[in-house]
Amino acid sequence: MSDVKAVNIHIAPGDTRPIFKQIVDGIRMQIACGNLPVGAKLPSVRGLAMQLTINANTVAKAYTELTSQGLVEARQGLGLFVSQPRQQLNVEEQQKRLGDAVQAFVNDVAYLDFSAEQMIEKVSVALNQLATNKENETGNHD
């Protein structure tokens, strides 16, 4: 049986996203970075709720969302595990989501006093870090 993998996410009280969405986003990022590899067992609903000091129903809602997105799968009597990645979105939907994410980012940072070049640099650094984490996890160093 797999050991439960630690989920390193933090809930930000001032965040405009609901708590369950913060959990979903945090676990998605942990999976994308390779910190939660395929087959990793997630903490139980109660366990993660205790870790984050939040209501178990909130964690259950986040886990349901992650399951519906195909990122995790429930194994009867064993718990929740990170799924094998599979692309469920067609190219059109991927483009739409990318556009939505870019627009949300622009809306969030429009009032900040940064140049476009500074913001692009920050995004580039974050994407490079994500790629580096993935390479380190998989051992691929193209």
Side-chain angles (χ1 to χ4, degrees), residues 39-58:
K41 183 176 182 182
L42 297 181
S44 67
V45 167
R46 187 174 296 148
L48 187 57
M50 288 175 54
Q51 176 189 326
L52 299 174
T53 61
I54 60 172
N55 189 297
N57 291 333
T58 304

Side-chain angles (χ1 to χ4, degrees), residues 95-116:
Q95 289 292 332
K96 180 189 176 310
R97 289 197 182 187
L98 177 60
D100 291 348
V102 168
Q103 192 58 54
F105 170 77
V106 170
N107 290 343
D108 285 348
V109 300
Y111 69 94
L112 300 175
D113 193 23
F114 291 107
S115 68

Side-chain angles (χ1 to χ4, degrees):
M1 219 180 258
S2 294
D3 290 333
V4 175
K5 193 80 169 154
V7 175
N8 186 18
I9 57 175
H10 303 285
I11 301 304
D15 197 316
T16 58
R17 297 172 298 163
I19 293 172
F20 91 92
K21 181 71 171 131
Q22 291 182 52
I23 295 169
V24 169
D25 291 348
I27 291 175
R28 284 174 60 178
M29 185 56 75
Q30 292 288 302
I31 292 170
C33 289
N35 296 333
L36 287 173
V38 172
K41 183 176 182 182
L42 297 181
S44 67
V45 167
R46 187 174 296 148
L48 187 57
M50 288 175 54
Q51 176 189 326
L52 299 174
T53 61
I54 60 172
N55 189 297
N57 291 333
T58 304
V59 175
K61 185 175 182 179
Y63 278 3
T64 298
E65 177 69 17
L66 288 163
T67 302
S68 72
Q69 292 178 8
L71 294 170
V72 298
E73 61 188 4
R75 296 183 189 162
Q76 190 66 36
L78 297 176
L80 212 57
F81 296 81
V82 175
S83 305
Q84 187 73 284
R86 57 188 181 276
Q87 187 54 256
Q88 296 179 317
L89 305 175
N90 62 31
V91 174
E92 210 172 281
E93 181 62 21
Q94 290 179 47
Q95 289 292 332
K96 180 189 176 310
R97 289 197 182 187
L98 177 60
D100 291 348
V102 168
Q103 192 58 54
F105 170 77
V106 170
N107 290 343
D108 285 348
V109 300
Y111 69 94
L112 300 175
D113 193 23
F114 291 107
S115 68
E117 292 79 18
Q118 289 171 306
M119 288 187 270
I120 290 168
E121 177 62 25
K122 286 283 188 186
V123 170
S124 181
V125 167
L127 290 172
N128 286 335
Q129 183 61 47
L130 178 62
T132 300
N133 288 346
K134 279 185 174 182
E135 285 177 358
N136 289 340
E137 183 63 30
T138 62
N140 286 342
H141 302 285
D142 294 331

